[in-house]
Amino acid sequence: MTSNHFYDETEHSPVRKHDRFTGYWSQFKTNFDWPIFFFMATLIIFGLVMVFSSTMFLPINGGAADPFSALWRQIAAVMAGLLLGVIAFVTPSRYYRNPVILLLAMTVIILLLLYTRFFGQEAFGAKSWIFLFGFSFQPSELTKVFAMLSIAWLSEYTSREVRLTQEAFRKFPIPNLLVVSLIITLALIFLQPDLGMLLIIALSLGFFWLIQKEKQGRNLIAYVACIVLFGVFYAFSSYFSTYLIQSGTHFLERLGIFVNPFADPSGVGYQLVNGYTAMSKGSWLGQGLGQGTMKYGQIPAINNDFILVNIIEELGFIGGIILLMIFLMFFMRLFRKAALMVDPYRSKVITGLALVLVIQTATNIGGVLGIIPLTGVTLPFISSGGSSIIISMVGVFLILKMIYIDNKEQAIQEK
């Protein structure tokens, strides 16, 4: 008897299932932005190597050396980021532009920040951590994603509706509530005080607003004003550095020390001065992977916000430049895809999330080099830190989602 197994043309036949899977996979391969994914994967893998290198000699668990402890925690965070990123990717895109869902998400973040305000764990001068089921988490990290989704929706809504009628905001209260939720969130982050996170989100929102403005002349004035303000800020910190360093307040000490860390090399400036020493030891080619010596307790948080110091000491300035070039190509790809989006909302989401990554990277590098005050901000995808890498990965998967949907719709239109 001849089997009809391979000739069954019903909807549930193995042949039909295989054809559907092949079609889905072919569509996914065509529309998925592989370069962005590979840039992220390259940075994550390199980060895992450097996290291990910078923590392999740290005494952990009551003095017992466990060289893999920090690495396993970072791998667990990457796996969590991958899982949540995939969930974010497969979630229908209509949920990301639903203002009610965005408002609900911002409300949850506000509640988490309020909980952190009263019951959170304080570290490095900021009460910004909570502990759940044995794991630490930084709720303010969620703001980086949902603030950008919210501002992208607000920008799209106002450009589409408010230009038609000035009564739009009064008729539809959710935009006003979203704006209020953003202000409350920033205020709660300021009260922690997590000024590094506040700087990232505030600058991301500010630059997003400037990019969306159509009057380029005003934008130029705003950029020049930012430069002038930074000059004034630098002059203020330099002139009052002695008083700021002796203030005894964590934030003010950092304001005073970044202009002249050698004013207190064994106190407030200890981390910066030793960071300079480590980078000078690295020279152009470095001392070799794993061969750095300043990680032996001489630089606090060398696996977190100061991991760039360990990279330059072990791989040299050449290694540091190569890393920065990878970041630069990654960011250029993100902004290029944002410019090519057909759907304005998707373009704005990609722009906002890309700005968060760019500003976070610049803030970390600027702090390590002494260009701006230290803020404790991590280097995206590289530094040790579960909350940071998870949210950064989710943000990139959201970008990939926006690109995938846009590419898919463009392919349908071309047919």
Side-chain angles (χ1 to χ4, degrees):
M1 180 181 295
T2 303
S3 173
N4 292 326
H5 181 74
F6 293 102
Y7 300 94
D8 184 3
E9 292 299 323
T10 64
E11 186 67 21
H12 301 288
S13 69
V15 173
R16 284 289 182 88
K17 289 181 179 180
H18 178 268
D19 289 343
R20 284 201 302 271
F21 174 79
T22 303
Y24 291 149
W25 174 242
S26 176
Q27 186 182 78
F28 178 79
K29 285 195 303 181
T30 303
N31 298 317
F32 189 76
D33 196 291
W34 294 101
I36 289 178
F37 179 81
F38 286 130
F39 275 128
M40 179 181 69
T42 299
L43 291 170
I44 290 173
I45 293 170
F46 178 74
L48 291 174
V49 173
M50 297 314 302
V51 165
F52 176 67
S53 174
S54 60
T55 59
M56 55 196 292
F57 295 110
L58 290 179
I60 302 175
N61 297 329
D66 182 1
F68 296 99
S69 178
L71 176 63
W72 293 133
R73 288 199 301 270
Q74 190 74 350
I75 290 175
V78 170
M79 293 297 103
L82 182 62
L83 175 61
L84 293 175
V86 170
I87 292 174
F89 185 85
V90 300
T91 300
S93 60
R94 65 180 180 274
Y95 293 125
Y96 297 123
R97 63 200 313 164
N98 186 321
V100 176
I101 293 177
L102 293 176
L103 182 60
L104 178 62
M106 292 301 299
T107 303
V108 171
I109 292 173
I110 289 172
L111 293 175
L112 288 173
L113 290 174
L114 284 171
Y115 178 86
T116 306
R117 172 68 179 163
F118 296 103
F119 305 105
Q121 183 75 22
E122 183 172 347
F124 304 108
K127 186 183 286 188
S128 55
W129 298 87
I130 58 176
F131 288 85
L132 297 172
F133 310 109
F135 296 95
S136 60
F137 180 69
Q138 193 174 6
S140 56
E141 286 281 347
L142 294 168
T143 311
K144 293 192 295 190
V145 170
F146 286 102
M148 292 302 110
L149 289 173
S150 298
I151 199 67
W153 182 85
L154 282 168
S155 176
E156 177 65 9
Y157 172 79
T158 54
S159 63
R160 186 177 64 248
E161 301 291 340
V162 173
R163 291 182 182 180
L164 297 177
T165 171
Q166 294 297 321
E167 300 295 321
F169 266 52
R170 280 180 283 182
K171 290 181 178 179
F172 191 34
I174 287 184
N176 290 320
L177 293 176
L178 269 178
V179 172
V180 171
S181 69
L182 286 170
I183 295 172
I184 293 174
T185 301
L186 292 176
L188 289 173
I189 294 173
F190 174 78
L191 292 174
Q192 291 181 348
D194 188 351
L195 299 179
M197 184 66 66
L198 181 65
L199 182 68
I200 292 172
I201 298 171
L203 286 179
S204 298
L205 293 173
F207 279 109
F208 179 90
W209 178 78
L210 286 175
I211 290 172
Q212 302 304 316
K213 299 296 285 184
E214 295 180 353
K215 297 181 179 180
Q216 297 301 319
R218 291 185 180 179
N219 287 2
L220 179 60
I221 294 174
Y223 294 137
V224 172
C226 290
I227 296 173
V228 172
L229 286 174
F230 178 77
V232 172
F233 167 75
Y234 189 91
F236 172 83
S237 298
S238 180
Y239 186 80
F240 294 102
S241 62
T242 302
Y243 304 100
L244 293 171
I245 292 170
Q246 297 174 356
S247 67
T249 304
H250 183 75
F251 171 65
L252 294 179
E253 288 174 347
R254 288 191 167 187
L255 284 183
I257 204 64
F258 90 98
V259 294
N260 185 16
F262 295 95
D264 189 12
S266 59
V268 182
Y270 179 83
Q271 191 176 27
L272 267 177
V273 170
N274 281 359
Y276 293 157
T277 302
M279 289 187 285
S280 66
K281 285 185 176 182
S283 188
W284 286 106
L285 299 178
Q287 297 186 341
L289 184 62
Q291 301 304 310
T293 58
M294 297 299 288
K295 60 191 174 187
Y296 293 101
Q298 297 184 56
I299 300 180
I302 195 169
N303 60 311
N304 297 110
D305 51 307
F306 257 63
I307 197 167
L308 181 64
V309 166
N310 188 59
I311 292 171
I312 294 177
E313 184 186 8
E314 297 188 352
L315 303 180
F317 283 100
I318 298 297
I321 291 171
I322 292 173
L323 175 62
L324 294 183
M325 291 300 295
I326 294 173
F327 269 117
L328 181 61
M329 291 187 291
F330 181 36
F331 297 149
M332 288 177 63
R333 178 76 180 182
L334 295 180
F335 286 115
R336 179 175 180 272
K337 297 306 292 187
L340 294 175
M341 291 294 101
V342 173
D343 184 81
Y345 172 76
R346 296 181 195 128
S347 175
K348 292 172 181 179
V349 169
I350 297 173
T351 300
L353 293 174
L355 280 171
V356 168
L357 291 174
V358 170
I359 293 172
Q360 181 173 339
T361 302
T363 303
N364 174 271
I365 296 174
V368 170
L369 298 180
I371 300 173
I372 61 174
L374 289 172
T375 58
V377 169
T378 58
L379 188 60
F381 309 109
I382 306 295
S383 296
S384 177
S387 301
S388 175
I389 196 167
I390 289 172
I391 297 302
S392 295
M393 291 179 68
V394 170
V396 172
F397 272 99
L398 279 174
I399 290 173
L400 291 170
K401 172 72 173 182
M402 299 298 156
I403 296 173
Y404 178 81
I405 296 298
D406 209 81
N407 289 343
K408 186 176 176 181
E409 290 183 356
Q410 289 187 50
I412 293 173
Q413 291 175 1
E414 290 173 359
K415 291 181 179 180

